[in-house]
Amino acid sequence: MKTLKLLKYFAPYKWFLILMLILTYGQTTATLALPDYMARIINQGIVGQDSNVIFSNGLIMLLIALFGGACMVGVGYLASKVATGFAMRLRDEIFTKVESFSLLEFNTFSTASLITRCTNDIQQIQTVLGMLLRLALMAPFMGVGAIIKAYQLAPSMAWIMAIAIGTLILIIATLFITAIPKFTQLQKLVDRLNLVTREILTGLRVIRAFNTESYEEAKFKNANQDLTDVNLFVNRLMVIMQPAMMLILNLTSIAVVWVGAQQINMGSLQIGDMLAFMQYAMQAIFAFLMISIIFIMVPRASVSAERVAEVLDTEATIKDPKRPIKAPLNKGLVEFKDVTFGYAGAEEPVLHHLNFTAVPGETTAFVGSTGSGKSTLVNLIPRFYDVTDGTILVDEVNVRDMRQEDLRARIGYVSQKAVLFSGNVEDNIKYGDPKATRDEVSHAAEIAQASDFIGQLEDGLESPISQGGANVSGGQKQRLAIARALAKKPEIYIFDDSFSSLDFKTDANLRKALEKETKGKTVLIVAQRISTIIQAEKIVVLEAGSIVGQGTHSELLRTCAVYREIASSQLSEAELARALSETDDQAYQGGQLSTGEAL
Ligand SMILES: Nc1ncnc2c1ncn2[C@@H]1O[C@H](COP(=O)(O)OP(=O)(O)O)[C@@H](O)[C@H]1O
Ligand SMILES: [Mg+2]
């Protein structure tokens, strides 16, 4: 039972629990004492016509009721406090855990499910825990206490209570067995609804453009209907319980009056005792009712608890080493040694035996058709995934031997899909370096060719960026993402297809400005356009996850068929011819490059 593992987060609340136990005891004792006094008032006060007994016992009853009420308020207060506090703690724990997850764990859980677990599931636990703390502590006291009291009052009528409680247990057991499997289903359906909703809302623009509203609506309706069906089923079961309970209660009362009246007639029972017996019987039935509610609620919460525990139990696959090594150099040399990588669950590796070196002061470019593994390759450097085989060295230290924080501190990464956060333009650029001054921010924006459009915004650097950067264009987003990486001033720059949304002129200007800014740094560029990387000191050509050529533009034109194919599809005859004619001059330089890789 993973659920039990959550108990450790409960430890800080153990004193609350003890206090609640004491208060609950007070409350039930008070409740159980009342019918006794009532019997006395009826038997001695009313039947025996002694007004003193009525007055004094009435006063005592009032005080006991007040005391019981106060205890109940205390229990309610503490129960809410513990339940909400516990839920907050769980949310905190889950969030911290999820933050430590690598992309692998995100793939296994799915974002929608992680969100449901962090919200709906914890809410479920909180609700049930609050109820549990109020009912579960009280019900056993009350049930046992009421049965004993009733038996002491009128043993001759105990069989009525036995039948009532027996029937009750039968009904509860039936409900329990039918309802439990549905609860697991319920949370899964919430997950699914969440997934569908998320997908539809984030893809709304595409849905509109393709006029697929009705299709998506049907998808949503199905998910919604499934959830509603199961919910209805569960709720109907629960609702049946109420009339069944009332019936049992009423039948019990009638039976007590019926049998009691005969006994009173025979003089073997006093009228007050019969009424008190009736109250105890009600209390006992109520106690069993509470226990039944607990039995139905707990499995539901435990499904949620299981799902929460599952997240908390998952260890992030990418962890810091026990004894991290700090790279002695601070240059940004990146080496791939026989690197093979496959995504978890995939049969075939995506990258096969890659060997190359990216040297500080040079630009290393990666080209290849889509799906050839370029993004995967650069994602391995900041350790978003761990290699399956081989090693990646940064400044001659294996990336797995470094602290992730140290490793990532030296990398400026611009992802293929630019991501902005809500805030303003400056916040987004300063994300790279929170200590950056206004001048540094402007400089980074300038280099990234973003200052023009930032200048046109109403509030310049302070212009708001909405969630996900929805209020700027794709190209503007990319430029801000580039500025963010530049503001960080790392040793290693990774641009994963970051220039693709830029027009040719901006692309050219950006590269010229970057060249100066990144002098002496290691620059890795994934690109679609040959023109973006034509000047790169080294171009790595990927095909189906293997390197099929390395060298400069002109070298590759001569030696690499795949590269020639890509280049000839993009460049004019004249450009190709010019590059080939330069080959002879550059051949020597190119040779030097490959031998001079060790710095
Ligand atoms: N998260 C993932 N899980 C499983 N397979 C993936 C994942 N991301 C990419 N792939 C697969 O890896 C291959 C290379 O993808 P990618 O590196 O994105 O290519 P590129 O950037 O060159 O277009 C593709 O065949 C793709 O299907
Ligand atoms: Mg890619």
Side-chain angles (χ1 to χ4, degrees):
M1 279 284 269
K2 282 197 176 120
T3 314
L4 292 180
K5 286 192 180 152
L6 292 183
L7 281 182
K8 71 170 179 249
Y9 300 108
F10 209 78
Y13 302 108
K14 62 172 182 285
W15 291 112
F16 283 96
L17 213 60
I18 291 171
L19 190 58
M20 282 173 71
L21 208 61
I22 296 170
L23 287 175
T24 308
Y25 186 71
Q27 184 200 336
T28 29
T29 321
T31 317
L32 288 172
L34 286 176
D36 266 346
Y37 286 95
M38 188 195 69
R40 216 167 292 164
I41 289 178
I42 293 172
N43 292 342
Q44 296 167 23
I46 298 175
V47 180
Q49 296 198 331
D50 182 347
S51 58
N52 271 345
V53 173
I54 299 180
F55 187 73
S56 59
N57 282 296
L59 194 67
I60 294 173
M61 279 179 83
L62 189 66
L63 291 179
I64 291 178
L66 283 177
F67 170 75
C71 287
M72 204 162 155
V73 170
V75 171
Y77 174 77
L78 290 175
S80 316
K81 204 173 159 71
V82 171
T84 46
F86 183 67
M88 182 173 119
R89 182 119 196 255
L90 276 188
R91 269 195 292 270
D92 237 13
E93 294 283 339
I94 285 210
F95 190 72
T96 318
K97 190 72 186 195
V98 169
E99 266 189 326
S100 81
F101 279 177
S102 68
L103 299 180
L104 180 69
E105 284 84 46
F106 271 100
N107 289 351
T108 37
F109 276 114
S110 97
T111 315
S113 178
L114 283 175
I115 293 175
T116 327
R117 286 169 208 241
C118 203
T119 50
N120 183 299
D121 279 309
I122 292 188
Q123 185 61 43
Q124 212 67 257
I125 296 175
Q126 179 183 326
T127 314
V128 172
L129 186 64
M131 258 173 85
L132 201 66
L133 289 174
R134 258 174 291 145
L135 302 184
L137 296 180
M138 180 170 81
F141 275 139
M142 183 106 148
V144 175
I147 290 173
I148 293 175
K149 285 275 201 179
Y151 187 77
Q152 284 171 345
L153 265 177
S156 56
M157 289 200 291
W159 60 271
I160 300 177
M161 236 160 74
I163 292 177
I165 289 171
T167 323
L168 204 62
I169 289 174
L170 214 67
I171 295 177
I172 292 165
T174 323
L175 286 182
F176 187 69
I177 291 163
T178 18
I180 302 302
K182 295 283 173 185
F183 291 131
T184 323
Q185 221 178 334
L186 212 53
Q187 285 318 96
K188 286 217 180 93
L189 288 171
V190 173
D191 256 5
R192 171 144 179 78
L193 188 72
N194 216 333
L195 180 91
V196 174
T197 316
R198 245 177 80 90
E199 210 171 59
I200 293 175
L201 290 183
T202 44
L204 207 56
R205 231 183 292 191
V206 181
I207 294 171
R208 296 237 165 97
F210 283 85
N211 277 327
T212 45
E213 279 108 335
S214 52
Y215 170 72
E216 295 294 335
E217 222 167 84
K219 219 158 70 176
F220 179 80
K221 264 201 184 123
N222 283 343
N224 200 3
Q225 190 63 50
D226 290 347
L227 181 63
T228 310
D229 288 346
V230 179
N231 246 331
L232 263 180
F233 179 82
V234 170
N235 278 310
R236 277 188 191 130
L237 276 186
M238 298 300 122
V239 165
I240 289 175
M241 246 170 62
Q242 212 171 342
M245 289 307 133
M246 288 320 285
L247 192 66
I248 292 177
L249 273 179
N250 290 333
L251 288 178
T252 311
S253 306
I254 293 170
V256 169
V257 174
W258 182 277
V259 178
Q262 288 171 347
Q263 293 190 4
I264 291 170
N265 225 2
M266 291 188 297
S268 61
L269 189 71
Q270 285 187 292
I271 183 160
D273 290 351
M274 184 198 79
L275 288 175
F277 180 90
M278 188 141 53
Q279 287 218 341
Y280 283 129
M282 300 293 125
Q283 284 176 359
I285 291 174
F286 265 118
F288 274 88
L289 193 65
M290 280 184 234
I291 292 174
S292 72
I293 292 175
I294 292 163
F295 267 102
I296 282 163
M297 296 299 285
V298 167
R300 175 154 200 193
S302 90
V303 170
S304 290
E306 198 104 339
R307 286 158 52 91
V308 168
E310 210 178 351
V311 177
L312 292 176
D313 263 2
T314 305
E315 279 301 320
T317 39
I318 295 188
K319 276 189 290 205
D320 282 336
K322 288 221 175 58
R323 251 174 272 129
I325 299 176
K326 266 212 177 349
L329 299 167
N330 224 355
K331 296 240 166 71
L333 177 70
V334 176
E335 294 165 274
F336 271 53
K337 294 209 159 127
D338 204 34
V339 169
T340 296
F341 172 77
Y343 284 103
E347 279 171 21
E348 289 283 306
V350 178
L351 301 173
H352 311 270
H353 306 287
L354 304 187
N355 283 291
F356 71 88
T357 309
V359 184
E362 291 188 356
T363 298
T364 306
F366 302 88
V367 288
S369 52
T370 41
S372 57
K374 306 179 299 289
S375 296
T376 309
L377 184 156
V378 291
N379 281 340
L380 293 177
I381 302 171
R383 245 189 120 197
F384 293 150
Y385 295 100
D386 265 340
V387 296
T388 312
D389 222 346
T391 38
I392 298 174
L393 305 175
V394 167
D395 287 332
E396 296 174 0
V397 176
N398 189 336
V399 289
R400 297 174 102 149
D401 294 333
M402 287 189 219
R403 283 177 52 205
Q404 294 168 63
E405 202 185 327
D406 292 342
L407 171 67
R408 289 171 191 161
R410 45 177 76 198
I411 298 175
Y413 172 80
V414 184
S415 56
Q416 180 160 12
K417 195 165 156 254
V419 174
L420 297 183
F421 299 98
S422 45
N424 64 28
V425 174
E426 189 175 10
D427 295 337
N428 269 287
I429 298 179
K430 273 174 96 166
Y431 208 79
D433 176 13
K435 291 197 286 290
T437 61
R438 180 49 84 86
D439 280 346
E440 286 170 319
V441 169
S442 308
H443 178 69
E446 180 82 42
I447 304 282
Q449 308 298 310
S451 32
D452 277 355
F453 87 81
I454 294 174
Q456 278 163 19
L457 296 174
E458 204 160 301
D459 297 316
L461 280 172
E462 271 141 38
S463 310
I465 297 283
S466 54
Q467 191 197 354
N471 61 343
V472 286
S473 79
Q476 292 170 340
K477 237 194 285 196
Q478 276 197 329
R479 278 177 272 174
L480 288 179
I482 293 168
R484 175 167 63 199
L486 289 170
K488 195 172 173 183
K489 300 202 183 69
E491 286 94 50
I492 302 167
Y493 287 92
I494 298 175
F495 299 104
D496 186 358
D497 221 345
S498 314
F499 311 116
S500 54
S501 305
L502 306 180
D503 57 88
F504 281 89
K505 189 160 150 271
T506 314
D507 184 5
N509 289 343
L510 175 61
R511 267 180 294 122
K512 211 180 285 163
L514 262 183
E515 206 172 312
K516 272 190 232 127
E517 186 70 13
T518 60
K519 219 173 194 65
K521 307 293 164 85
T522 309
V523 181
L524 297 118
I525 297 183
V526 173
Q528 301 281 350
R529 293 189 202 134
I530 295 291
S531 60
T532 312
I533 53 154
I534 207 160
Q535 307 287 352
E537 279 83 359
K538 181 191 285 176
I539 299 169
V540 175
V541 187
L542 280 174
E543 192 182 52
S546 298
I547 295 180
V548 292
Q550 285 191 53
T552 60
H553 173 65
S554 45
E555 279 174 327
L556 286 169
L557 275 183
R558 272 193 313 160
T559 57
C560 180
V562 177
Y563 187 76
R564 205 157 39 230
E565 204 176 303
I566 300 172
S568 58
S569 70
Q570 294 185 16
L571 302 178
S572 65
E573 290 288 329
E575 282 169 311
L576 285 173
R578 193 166 62 233
L580 278 171
S581 72
E582 283 167 6
T583 309
D584 297 334
D585 317 334
Q586 287 191 350
Y588 174 67
Q589 243 184 330
Q592 223 181 15
L593 272 177
S594 43
T595 51
E597 273 170 2
L599 277 177

